[in-house]
Amino acid sequence: MTRNQRAAGPRPSFAERGMQSSIAAIEHIAGGLGTAFLAALTALTVVLTALLCLTGVGLLLTGATLAMVRATANRERSRLNRWGYEIINPYPADAQRTRAALADPATRRDLLWLSAHATLGLITGLVGVVLPVIAARDISFPLWWHLLPPNQAGASLGFPATTWPAAVAVGMMGLGWFAIIVGFGQPIARLQALPGSRLLGPHPSVDLSGRIAELTATRAATLEAHTAELRRIERSLHDGVQNHLMGVVMLVGGARQLVQRDPVTADEILDRVQTAAEHVIQELREVVRGILPPVLENEGLDGAMAGLAAGCAVPCRIEVDVAGRCAMSVEATAYFVVAEALTNIVRHSEASRAFVEVRRIGDRLRVRVEDDGRGGAAQARGTGILGMRRRIEAHDGAFRVDSPVGGPTCIEVDLPCGM
């Protein structure tokens, strides 16, 4: 088990959380190693093109080389965004001519990132990938060292180990490598991502009017959703709770008039009063849960997600890996997105199973909901996707739905939650 499975087991220990964090860091570093190799190849192409420009031949290759630089940088932007960094593509939507692309500050920043990632990213990637292999090799060394020829038995650092004490010492060294991975995995991953997070976004001097317009539209949609939510609560109180309370009052009045003349009938009416009052209390609880579920405030995302899984008619597996608490509004948004998604799965997907993953990476909260149903979920079909999107955009988050006809369906959410 690599993460806490709330629906099937207890909360993970400190060691398990450290292991989960280390595995995530290694995944991050390995992905960065792939883009670092690509960056090194692209950097070599840039250098060769620049040299060929001295002969005039390279001018014909400049456009293709710049496109290669941009594609490599975009690949790193996508990778960093998947890992919780918010990297906005600084390039305009329309294609640029070669001369304009050369003058674009974003191109110069991409070239700076290219040189940094081709060196620093390659070194940190190799360290992050080789260390686990060395650790596994040295930890297991006492199990198989005696099978090697005496001149080949040795530790990963090269010194010989031809006796049992020496073999045990190599195993202890492997544990030391493992401790380094646990302690320094996340810092190495952050160091590898540092050039991209600093250079691949827009320069501070770039006009962000488009971004401002997007945020303005998002805030307007948020206010509209907030108003709709207030109307829903008002209708629930007015049409539901208030009407039932009026019925309770009328029944109590009738019972008071009959208590002397017909005690038996009055007692029956009081029984109805008790039933109606219990119904009102239940309705009030449902209204309160619609505003902010008490389980979310009391037990956090772990307990809230476990409750959603337990109440889902489709078998649902929950994995939660969230260290500490996020802002209450962010937790509430994540909760309602998962609740709405599971409701859609039960009502529309014809799925046999569902899976929910909630994971915090740095200052981002990532939520993923999957099912093996018939797919075809779309915002236009009124399955609550528009409401989920508006809630997420209100927090400046990202929302993606992948639901081809025939299934499966995957909903991914990325929310900023602070450090």
Side-chain angles (χ1 to χ4, degrees), residues 266-321:
D267 187 62
E268 294 176 355
I269 294 176
L270 288 175
D271 287 339
R272 294 169 56 191
V273 168
Q274 182 177 357
T275 302
E278 292 172 354
H279 185 69
V280 170
I281 292 173
Q282 181 62 31
E283 283 195 348
L284 281 173
R285 286 175 177 168
E286 292 177 358
V287 172
V288 170
R289 289 193 189 101
I291 299 172
L292 181 64
V295 65
L296 185 62
E297 185 174 8
N298 297 333
E299 301 185 26
L301 284 171
D302 288 23
M305 294 301 163
L308 289 176
C312 184
V314 174
C316 180
R317 185 165 61 94
I318 300 281
E319 294 186 3
V320 179
D321 181 15

Side-chain angles (χ1 to χ4, degrees), residues 376-396:
Q379 180 173 306
R381 297 191 177 184
T383 54
I385 294 178
L386 178 60
M388 286 189 279
R389 183 183 297 277
R390 284 178 173 173
R391 279 184 178 270
I392 294 156
E393 289 177 348
H395 291 276
D396 204 17

Side-chain angles (χ1 to χ4, degrees), residues 48-170:
L48 292 176
T49 302
L51 293 176
L52 289 175
C53 283
L54 299 177
T55 64
V57 178
L59 297 175
L60 302 176
L61 303 175
T62 303
T65 302
L66 289 178
M68 185 177 181
V69 171
R70 185 170 298 186
T72 304
N74 284 338
R75 189 178 184 88
E76 179 70 359
R77 288 186 186 96
S78 299
R79 185 184 76 88
L80 292 178
N81 282 328
R82 288 195 302 271
W83 283 98
Y85 296 86
E86 188 175 4
I87 310 296
I88 302 173
N89 194 327
Y91 293 107
D94 54 331
Q96 293 177 288
R97 293 180 178 273
T98 301
R99 181 172 298 178
L102 286 172
D104 193 335
T107 301
R108 294 194 292 271
R109 290 165 65 84
D110 282 356
L111 290 173
L112 287 174
W113 165 81
L114 202 67
S115 61
H117 196 56
T119 53
L120 178 63
L122 194 62
I123 294 172
T124 54
L126 289 173
V127 170
V129 171
V130 171
L131 269 182
V133 177
I134 293 176
R137 188 260 186 201
D138 284 355
I139 290 175
S140 63
F141 184 76
L143 301 177
W144 46 267
W145 72 274
H146 57 280
L147 301 177
L148 298 175
N151 60 341
Q152 295 183 11
S156 57
L157 294 181
F159 63 83
T162 57
T163 63
W164 273 108
V168 173
V170 172

